[in-house]
Amino acid sequence: QMCEKFTVCENSMEMLLHNNLNLPKVTEEDGDFLTFLSFQDKCLRKISSGLYTFQTYLKYVQETFISENQNVESLYYSAQHLAQTLREMVINPEEVIIPDAATQESLHAKLKSTKAWIEKITIHLILRDFTSFMEKTVRAVRYLKNTRSFSV
């Protein structure tokens, strides 16, 4: 939809130049995905922390992408619920990283200060990376559910 409505597409040079968002990801540093998944608690902590971090970004998308406000609001609350559920499953829930209010406010202010023409690119990058993060989350949860006594 972003590509069609606003001509903000994957191969946009502007997108590549301005991608300094530091969004949560599962990266090569986490090791091979299956090896990463073999450590259930670490996996759950990583996913829950990432979902908590995405909350500020999703709030920004909700406030900025007005035409899709309800869909983004639903996405925001679903991600929040999943983050809380997974955090409860971690052996030491306090190890899940939840950005504090000051960090969230600072990030929110930084996002809001972007120029209007960058807003669309920022929204696209957030939604693209959130989609990728959730695809890996679904794979992880399925893997854990199928290989361990794990229920969501």
Side-chain angles (χ1 to χ4, degrees), residues 40-42 44-46 48-49 52 84 86-98:
Q40 178 178 339
D41 198 61
K42 179 181 176 184
L44 294 174
R45 269 196 324 270
K46 172 91 175 173
S48 186
S49 295
Y52 278 114
Q84 291 169 346
L86 294 177
R87 182 174 185 253
E88 291 169 7
M89 299 171 81
V90 173
I91 294 168
N92 293 316
E94 62 277 356
E95 290 179 359
V96 171
I97 298 167
I98 302 173

Side-chain angles (χ1 to χ4, degrees), residues 118-140:
I118 295 179
E119 276 183 355
K120 294 175 182 75
I121 293 168
T122 302
I123 290 169
H124 181 81
L125 291 171
I126 291 168
L127 293 175
R128 183 196 66 189
D129 286 10
F130 182 73
T131 299
S132 175
F133 188 88
M134 289 307 299
E135 286 170 351
K136 290 177 176 123
T137 295
V138 168
R139 283 179 38 203

Side-chain angles (χ1 to χ4, degrees), residues 5 66 96:
K5 285 184 181 181
I66 308 292
V96 171

Side-chain angles (χ1 to χ4, degrees), residues 11-63:
N11 58 357
S12 169
M13 284 303 288
E14 292 154 357
M15 217 184 243
L16 298 174
L17 294 173
H18 297 287
N19 188 3
N20 59 353
L21 293 174
N22 195 27
L23 295 159
K25 292 180 175 54
V26 175
T27 64
E28 288 182 23
E29 294 171 5
D30 297 314
D32 175 70
F33 195 66
L34 291 178
T35 302
F36 170 72
L37 290 175
S38 68
F39 303 101
Q40 178 178 339
D41 198 61
K42 179 181 176 184
C43 178
L44 294 174
R45 269 196 324 270
K46 172 91 175 173
I47 292 169
S48 186
S49 295
L51 289 168
Y52 278 114
T53 301
F54 262 111
Q55 294 299 295
T56 305
Y57 292 102
L58 292 174
K59 195 65 157 170
Y60 168 77
V61 172
Q62 182 183 357
E63 294 169 357

